């Protein structure tokens, strides 16, 4: 299974293509769609859409996963992220790729085991899970890869999302996911 994960933003949209094959996770490709703040919103959205379509056409993901909008104190920021999410989802849907959305806390919990984990903790675990060594990874990319990994975990074990109450019970239930 190949999953394209996206961390949407109008200035920087992180993306990551992750594969699950024969019980192993691996990263295939990742990057950031960067826009200039001086570009108009329609041009930024077109850039995001075009780049993601190129990634889809090159890597042929089976599934698409995106982080859902986080509403903080700034309504304008939430709306802009909503635009980026919309064109990202459109790129997947127009290419007939099943889509899924995950809240930031759900992604953090799936990757780190704690829904309140820091971006640094998420990036560390993403590097460990994908066996990425000595490569600096900006948070837009590590967040996108985390969304893809979260989706793979949910697809492989849909009934286990709420059943695990501690790391010990998780390790007991999933010894194959422990990295030695």
């Amino acid at each position: 299974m190949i999953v394209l994960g996206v961390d949407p933003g109008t200035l920087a949209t992180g993306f990551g293509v992750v594969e699950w094959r024969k019980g192993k996770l691996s990263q295939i490709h990742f990057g950031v769609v960067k826009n200039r703040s001086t570009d108009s919103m329609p041009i930024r959205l077109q850039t995001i859409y075009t780049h993601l379509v190129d990634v889809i056409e090159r890597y042929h993901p089976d599934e698409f996963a995106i982080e859902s909008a986080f509403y903080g104190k700034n309504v304008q920021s939430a709306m802009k992220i909503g635009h980026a999410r919309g064109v990202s989802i459109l790129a997947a849907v127009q290419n007939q790729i099943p889509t899924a959305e995950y809240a930031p806390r759900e992604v953090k919990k799936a990757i780190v085991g704690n829904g309140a984990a820091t971006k640094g903790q998420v990036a560390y675990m993403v590097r460990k899970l994908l066996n990425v060594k000595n490569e600096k990874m900006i948070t837009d990319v590590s967040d996108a890869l985390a969304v893809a990994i979260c989706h793979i975990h949910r697809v492989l074990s849909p009934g286990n999302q709420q059943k695990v109450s501690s790391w010990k019970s998780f390790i007991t239930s999933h010894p194959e996911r422990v990295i030695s």
Side-chain angles (χ1 to χ4, degrees):
M1 168 188 346
I2 298 174
V3 177
L4 170 58
V6 173
D7 179 35
T10 56
L11 292 176
T13 292
F15 64 90
V17 183
V18 176
E19 183 176 30
W20 172 262
R21 185 171 35 157
K22 296 181 181 178
K24 185 177 180 202
L25 280 172
S26 58
Q27 63 89 14
I28 296 174
H29 181 68
F30 60 80
V32 178
V33 181
K34 292 188 178 188
N35 281 303
R36 294 186 303 252
S37 60
T38 55
D39 289 341
S40 68
M41 185 58 68
I43 296 301
R44 292 184 206 178
L45 298 176
Q46 180 186 33
T47 301
I48 294 165
Y49 175 82
T50 302
H51 197 94
L52 291 179
V53 167
D54 288 345
V55 170
I56 289 167
E57 289 174 353
R58 183 170 180 191
Y59 297 101
H60 308 285
D62 303 302
E63 308 264 338
F64 175 91
I66 190 166
E67 194 169 74
S68 62
F70 171 76
Y71 174 72
K73 295 179 182 177
N74 189 332
V75 176
Q76 287 293 336
S77 292
M79 288 179 62
K80 288 176 183 176
I81 290 172
H83 294 322
R85 289 182 72 251
V87 297
S88 300
I89 293 169
L90 179 63
V93 170
Q94 284 194 328
N95 284 278
Q96 300 176 348
I97 302 171
T99 63
E101 300 177 48
Y102 298 97
R105 290 184 67 84
E106 184 176 1
V107 173
K108 291 174 182 179
K109 187 164 178 72
I111 302 302
V112 180
N114 176 0
T118 66
K119 287 191 174 285
Q121 290 170 318
V122 170
Y124 174 81
M125 284 304 297
V126 164
R127 282 194 305 275
K128 286 293 185 187
L129 290 168
L130 296 174
N131 199 25
V132 176
K133 295 181 182 2
N134 299 325
E135 190 164 338
K136 288 196 173 189
M137 199 178 284
I138 64 171
T139 57
D140 298 307
V141 169
S142 60
D143 287 353
L145 290 166
V147 172
I149 295 167
C150 173
H151 181 69
I152 289 168
H153 174 70
R154 296 298 184 243
V155 168
L156 294 177
S157 56
N160 293 333
Q161 293 141 326
Q162 302 299 325
K163 293 181 183 176
V164 178
S165 60
S166 69
W167 273 111
K168 185 176 180 180
S169 64
F170 177 82
I171 291 168
T172 302
S173 299
H174 303 284
E176 77 283 359
R177 299 216 40 207
V178 177
I179 300 171
S180 306

